[in-house]
Amino acid sequence: MELRAVDTPAQASHAYQQLKSRMHQLLLGRLDLEAMEGMSPERLREELSVMVERLLGEENVVVNTLERRSLVRDIQHEMLGLGPLEPLLADPTISDILVNGAHQVYVERRGKLSLTDVTFADDDHLMKIIDKIVSRVGRRVDESSPMADARLPDGSRVNVIVSPLALDGPVMSIRRFAVVPLTVDNLVEYKTLTSEMAQVLQALAAAEVNLLISGGTGSGKTTLLNIMSGFIDAGERIVTIEDAAELQLRQPHVVRLETRPPNIEGTGEITQRALVRNALRMRPDRIILGETRGSEAVDMLQAMNTGHEGSMTTIHANTARDALGRLENMLAMSGASLPPKVARAQIASAIGVIVQVNRMTDGRRKVMSISELTGMEGEVITMQEVFTYRQTGVETDGTVKGYFQASGVRPRFMERLTSRGISLPESLFDPSRRME
């Protein structure tokens, strides 16, 4: 077989996939799996390289030096990693990997989507990679259970949906986590927020103010939650609850909990609500809920109202006011038959500050507002913006123009900060300053 004799790129790709699949199968027939388990990854890579070279010679496969290196590398990725996805996972500039069937893989870099030349041999090949990912965290995906959430060893979030729900082949979305987690200084550098806003958020986390981070899909809610969690004192006991563990807290006393889906018989499911209830018995100083999306909202709000101050969570919403409406709906979904005014009063007393983050049209993330809940006026929850982002236009290259500005209101939480020994200069809230 000679790859160079193939005329078109499509034919060459198909021929290469066939050759790789054949070499992989031959290799599996010769490997001593028990001996492999005792080898270090480096040694195993060397052994695989030698065996692939030997097989190419035995099979009289004519390939050039570049093709030979690619074949060795790709088979190493198949055996030790996630096959064709490995080069993408090794690229630190990629924030999302979107697999739409075996022959179409998109990536996001700096907020922009682009099609890659990465492909799988067929849907069966893609399903093998998916099974390898989900089985690592005790999950499964097949026709009887066609959706699954999982995570990679580095914390990256994975969502999978397969036939019969996905009509054009298995679909997988990977939300990457930075090898080196972003810091608040990085957010200031990227102009996601200003240093003044960062100073206020750090003070709020340190002063145990209950925080709700609101935003749309891909707006950076979890990233901001992770950064704000880093401001918590190392002496506190923190319990995190997530569907797929993503948070990367650096404190020494962190208990990480993760939900469990139902088994093949449809039993054994452990929900976020059950974990929140259990967490209350674990003597936490703070509870951090990865995302509030259902009936767990009532238990989270009760926790915030009963001594677990400084707890944090995220919610999907386009504005801070919408976030309050969604919370109210979730309270109703939980089966708690509360009158609207009582439900809103519970929300107003539990949440101290809402941080709204949005993904702009140019792909960049912005903290659109930091709003303080001030109580109730009649049957309406009252809020006041402390900081806001004002968009002024769009550059010819698509870059969004705008500036951050303080509202000029002296927030009520300043009294709480002072009581905790945290002082912020009044100049932070000067509305005459426009911060780019």
Side-chain angles (χ1 to χ4, degrees), residues 159-193:
N159 176 266
V160 175
I161 183 165
V162 301
S163 176
L165 303 184
L167 302 182
D168 300 317
V171 177
M172 177 166 55
S173 307
I174 302 177
R175 173 66 52 81
R176 294 290 311 284
F177 257 43
V179 177
V180 179
L182 292 176
T183 66
V184 69
D185 291 335
N186 295 134
L187 297 191
V188 172
E189 178 186 346
Y190 300 153
K191 298 185 178 180
T192 300
L193 75 174

Side-chain angles (χ1 to χ4, degrees), residues 220-240:
K221 298 186 300 297
T222 304
T223 298
L224 184 58
L225 179 64
N226 204 57
I227 289 171
M228 295 199 62
S229 301
F231 298 143
I232 298 173
D233 187 84
E236 297 187 49
R237 176 175 169 85
I238 307 167
V239 177
T240 69

